[in-house]
Amino acid sequence: SSGINAEYGEWACIDHGITICIDCSGVHRSLGVNISKVRSLLLDNWTDDIITCMESKGNSRFNERYEHHASAADKISSNSSREERDAFIRRKYVEKAFYRKD
């Protein structure tokens, strides 16, 4: 998700075009596939369409929009608890609490 080194993660949300860490992947899976489709970078098969989506989006571009109104205090870090991750990820993806509308 945000303040975590997701670029070193082994998981991805293929509908958002982002990589995530293993700790956040469980929270994303619990949201349901209508919110977040999680795949392993190493174990799952990747179609050309999914690869194109991942290449065209990325964490930085996605977070510019979905964390636009988030303060540093709102965001999670690699030290965040499961409860903190769950609360932040739900606010970010389900409620779109920090979303920038154009």
Side-chain angles (χ1 to χ4, degrees):
S1 287
S2 66
I4 300 171
N5 287 326
E7 62 270 16
Y8 301 113
E10 294 181 357
W11 297 91
C13 293
I14 59 170
D15 49 337
H16 300 304
I18 59 171
T19 55
I20 57 175
C21 71
I22 191 166
D23 294 326
C24 290
S25 71
V27 178
H28 278 269
R29 284 189 186 277
S30 74
L31 299 177
V33 296
N34 59 318
I35 303 289
S36 192
K37 295 176 185 169
V38 177
R39 298 288 184 275
S40 168
L41 295 177
L42 305 175
L43 303 174
D44 288 316
N45 292 323
W46 289 74
T47 64
D48 290 341
D49 290 345
I50 294 172
I51 293 168
T52 299
C53 174
M54 293 294 294
E55 290 174 340
S56 70
K57 294 182 181 179
N59 290 49
S60 294
R61 183 176 291 167
F62 184 82
N63 287 336
E64 284 174 14
R65 183 172 219 99
Y66 275 78
E67 293 184 1
H68 183 75
H69 297 291
S71 69
D74 290 322
K75 297 179 183 184
I76 55 176
S77 73
S78 58
N79 297 322
S80 296
S81 69
R82 168 70 186 217
E83 293 78 19
E84 291 167 328
R85 286 174 199 279
D86 187 83
F88 175 76
I89 291 170
R90 288 184 185 281
R91 289 189 70 207
K92 180 176 175 178
Y93 293 87
V94 177
E95 300 168 20
K96 295 185 179 175
F98 315 115
Y99 188 76
R100 181 189 79 215
K101 299 176 182 103
D102 285 337

Short mmCIF file of all heavy atoms in Angstrom, two decimals, residues 55-79:
data_model
loop_
_atom_site.label_atom_id
_atom_site.label_comp_id
_atom_site.label_asym_id
_atom_site.label_seq_id
_atom_site.Cartn_x
_atom_site.Cartn_y
_atom_site.Cartn_z
N GLU A 55 2.14 -2.42 -16.20
CA GLU A 55 3.15 -1.50 -16.73
C GLU A 55 2.60 -0.08 -16.92
O GLU A 55 3.33 0.89 -16.78
CB GLU A 55 3.69 -2.02 -18.06
CG GLU A 55 4.54 -3.26 -17.90
CD GLU A 55 4.98 -3.87 -19.22
OE1 GLU A 55 4.36 -3.60 -20.27
OE2 GLU A 55 5.95 -4.65 -19.21
N SER A 56 1.32 0.04 -17.22
CA SER A 56 0.74 1.35 -17.50
C SER A 56 0.35 2.12 -16.24
O SER A 56 0.16 3.32 -16.29
CB SER A 56 -0.48 1.21 -18.40
OG SER A 56 -1.55 0.61 -17.70
N LYS A 57 0.24 1.44 -15.12
CA LYS A 57 -0.20 2.10 -13.89
C LYS A 57 0.97 2.25 -12.92
O LYS A 57 1.70 3.22 -13.00
CB LYS A 57 -1.36 1.34 -13.27
CG LYS A 57 -2.61 1.39 -14.15
CD LYS A 57 -3.77 0.67 -13.53
CE LYS A 57 -4.97 0.72 -14.46
NZ LYS A 57 -6.10 0.01 -13.91
N GLY A 58 1.13 1.35 -12.02
CA GLY A 58 2.22 1.42 -11.05
C GLY A 58 1.81 2.11 -9.76
O GLY A 58 0.84 2.87 -9.72
N ASN A 59 2.58 1.85 -8.71
CA ASN A 59 2.25 2.36 -7.38
C ASN A 59 2.25 3.88 -7.30
O ASN A 59 1.36 4.47 -6.71
CB ASN A 59 3.24 1.79 -6.35
CG ASN A 59 3.03 0.31 -6.11
OD1 ASN A 59 2.95 -0.47 -7.06
ND2 ASN A 59 2.96 -0.09 -4.86
N SER A 60 3.26 4.52 -7.88
CA SER A 60 3.34 5.98 -7.77
C SER A 60 2.15 6.66 -8.40
O SER A 60 1.51 7.52 -7.78
CB SER A 60 4.63 6.49 -8.42
OG SER A 60 5.74 6.03 -7.71
N ARG A 61 1.82 6.28 -9.61
CA ARG A 61 0.68 6.89 -10.31
C ARG A 61 -0.63 6.60 -9.57
O ARG A 61 -1.46 7.49 -9.40
CB ARG A 61 0.62 6.36 -11.73
CG ARG A 61 -0.51 7.00 -12.54
CD ARG A 61 -0.49 6.53 -13.96
NE ARG A 61 0.70 7.10 -14.60
CZ ARG A 61 1.16 6.72 -15.78
NH1 ARG A 61 0.56 5.78 -16.45
NH2 ARG A 61 2.22 7.28 -16.30
N PHE A 62 -0.79 5.36 -9.13
CA PHE A 62 -2.01 4.99 -8.41
C PHE A 62 -2.14 5.79 -7.12
O PHE A 62 -3.20 6.34 -6.82
CB PHE A 62 -1.99 3.49 -8.11
CG PHE A 62 -3.25 3.00 -7.45
CD1 PHE A 62 -4.37 2.71 -8.19
CD2 PHE A 62 -3.29 2.86 -6.07
CE1 PHE A 62 -5.54 2.27 -7.58
CE2 PHE A 62 -4.46 2.42 -5.45
CZ PHE A 62 -5.57 2.13 -6.21
N ASN A 63 -1.05 5.88 -6.35
CA ASN A 63 -1.10 6.59 -5.06
C ASN A 63 -1.27 8.09 -5.22
O ASN A 63 -1.83 8.74 -4.33
CB ASN A 63 0.12 6.26 -4.21
CG ASN A 63 0.03 4.85 -3.65
OD1 ASN A 63 -1.04 4.29 -3.51
ND2 ASN A 63 1.19 4.30 -3.32
N GLU A 64 -0.81 8.67 -6.32
CA GLU A 64 -1.06 10.09 -6.57
C GLU A 64 -2.55 10.39 -6.53
O GLU A 64 -2.97 11.46 -6.08
CB GLU A 64 -0.51 10.51 -7.94
CG GLU A 64 0.99 10.67 -7.98
CD GLU A 64 1.50 10.94 -9.39
OE1 GLU A 64 0.68 11.27 -10.29
OE2 GLU A 64 2.71 10.82 -9.59
N ARG A 65 -3.33 9.46 -6.99
CA ARG A 65 -4.79 9.64 -7.04
C ARG A 65 -5.47 9.14 -5.76
O ARG A 65 -6.30 9.83 -5.19
CB ARG A 65 -5.34 8.93 -8.26
CG ARG A 65 -6.80 9.11 -8.45
CD ARG A 65 -7.25 8.54 -9.80
NE ARG A 65 -8.23 9.45 -10.35
CZ ARG A 65 -8.00 10.37 -11.26
NH1 ARG A 65 -6.83 10.50 -11.79
NH2 ARG A 65 -8.96 11.15 -11.67
N TYR A 66 -5.11 7.94 -5.31
CA TYR A 66 -5.82 7.31 -4.19
C TYR A 66 -5.34 7.76 -2.81
O TYR A 66 -6.01 7.50 -1.82
CB TYR A 66 -5.75 5.79 -4.30
CG TYR A 66 -6.84 5.24 -5.19
CD1 TYR A 66 -6.73 5.31 -6.58
CD2 TYR A 66 -7.97 4.64 -4.66
CE1 TYR A 66 -7.73 4.82 -7.40
CE2 TYR A 66 -8.97 4.15 -5.46
CZ TYR A 66 -8.85 4.24 -6.84
OH TYR A 66 -9.84 3.75 -7.65
N GLU A 67 -4.19 8.42 -2.73
CA GLU A 67 -3.70 8.93 -1.45
C GLU A 67 -3.52 10.44 -1.49
O GLU A 67 -2.85 11.01 -0.63
CB GLU A 67 -2.37 8.27 -1.08
CG GLU A 67 -2.49 6.80 -0.79
CD GLU A 67 -1.17 6.19 -0.34
OE1 GLU A 67 -0.15 6.90 -0.24
OE2 GLU A 67 -1.16 4.97 -0.09
N HIS A 68 -4.15 11.09 -2.43
CA HIS A 68 -3.96 12.52 -2.64
C HIS A 68 -4.26 13.32 -1.38
O HIS A 68 -3.55 14.27 -1.05
CB HIS A 68 -4.83 13.00 -3.81
CG HIS A 68 -4.65 14.43 -4.14
ND1 HIS A 68 -3.53 14.88 -4.82
CD2 HIS A 68 -5.39 15.52 -3.87
CE1 HIS A 68 -3.62 16.18 -4.96
NE2 HIS A 68 -4.73 16.60 -4.40
N HIS A 69 -5.32 12.98 -0.66
CA HIS A 69 -5.74 13.72 0.52
C HIS A 69 -5.33 13.04 1.82
O HIS A 69 -5.82 13.40 2.89
CB HIS A 69 -7.25 13.94 0.50
CG HIS A 69 -7.71 14.77 -0.66
ND1 HIS A 69 -7.44 16.11 -0.78
CD2 HIS A 69 -8.41 14.43 -1.77
CE1 HIS A 69 -7.97 16.57 -1.90
NE2 HIS A 69 -8.55 15.58 -2.54
N ALA A 70 -4.42 12.08 1.76
CA ALA A 70 -3.95 11.38 2.97
C ALA A 70 -2.77 12.13 3.58
O ALA A 70 -1.84 12.51 2.87
CB ALA A 70 -3.54 9.96 2.63
N SER A 71 -2.81 12.33 4.87
CA SER A 71 -1.67 12.92 5.57
C SER A 71 -0.68 11.82 5.92
O SER A 71 -1.00 10.63 5.83
CB SER A 71 -2.15 13.61 6.85
OG SER A 71 -2.58 12.62 7.79
N ALA A 72 0.50 12.20 6.34
CA ALA A 72 1.49 11.21 6.76
C ALA A 72 0.95 10.37 7.91
O ALA A 72 1.22 9.17 7.99
CB ALA A 72 2.78 11.91 7.17
N ALA A 73 0.17 10.98 8.77
CA ALA A 73 -0.41 10.25 9.91
C ALA A 73 -1.46 9.23 9.47
O ALA A 73 -1.68 8.24 10.17
CB ALA A 73 -1.03 11.24 10.90
N ASP A 74 -2.10 9.46 8.32
CA ASP A 74 -3.10 8.52 7.81
C ASP A 74 -2.47 7.24 7.28
O ASP A 74 -3.07 6.18 7.35
CB ASP A 74 -3.89 9.13 6.65
CG ASP A 74 -4.82 10.25 7.06
OD1 ASP A 74 -5.43 10.14 8.14
OD2 ASP A 74 -4.93 11.23 6.30
N LYS A 75 -1.26 7.35 6.75
CA LYS A 75 -0.64 6.26 6.01
C LYS A 75 -0.05 5.19 6.93
O LYS A 75 0.24 5.45 8.09
CB LYS A 75 0.44 6.80 5.08
CG LYS A 75 -0.13 7.72 4.02
CD LYS A 75 0.95 8.26 3.12
CE LYS A 75 0.38 9.23 2.11
NZ LYS A 75 1.42 9.69 1.18
N ILE A 76 0.14 4.01 6.37
CA ILE A 76 0.73 2.91 7.11
C ILE A 76 2.20 2.74 6.74
O ILE A 76 2.66 3.29 5.74
CB ILE A 76 -0.04 1.59 6.86
CG1 ILE A 76 -0.13 1.28 5.36
CG2 ILE A 76 -1.40 1.64 7.54
CD1 ILE A 76 -0.79 -0.04 5.04
N SER A 77 2.90 1.99 7.56
CA SER A 77 4.31 1.70 7.31
C SER A 77 4.54 0.20 7.48
O SER A 77 3.62 -0.54 7.84
CB SER A 77 5.19 2.47 8.29
OG SER A 77 5.09 1.89 9.58
N SER A 78 5.76 -0.23 7.26
CA SER A 78 6.08 -1.64 7.41
C SER A 78 5.92 -2.10 8.86
O SER A 78 5.80 -3.30 9.12
CB SER A 78 7.49 -1.93 6.91
OG SER A 78 8.42 -1.14 7.61
N ASN A 79 5.88 -1.17 9.79
CA ASN A 79 5.69 -1.51 11.21
C ASN A 79 4.23 -1.50 11.65
O ASN A 79 3.94 -1.78 12.81
CB ASN A 79 6.48 -0.53 12.10
CG ASN A 79 7.96 -0.61 11.85
OD1 ASN A 79 8.51 -1.68 11.63
ND2 ASN A 79 8.62 0.54 11.87
#
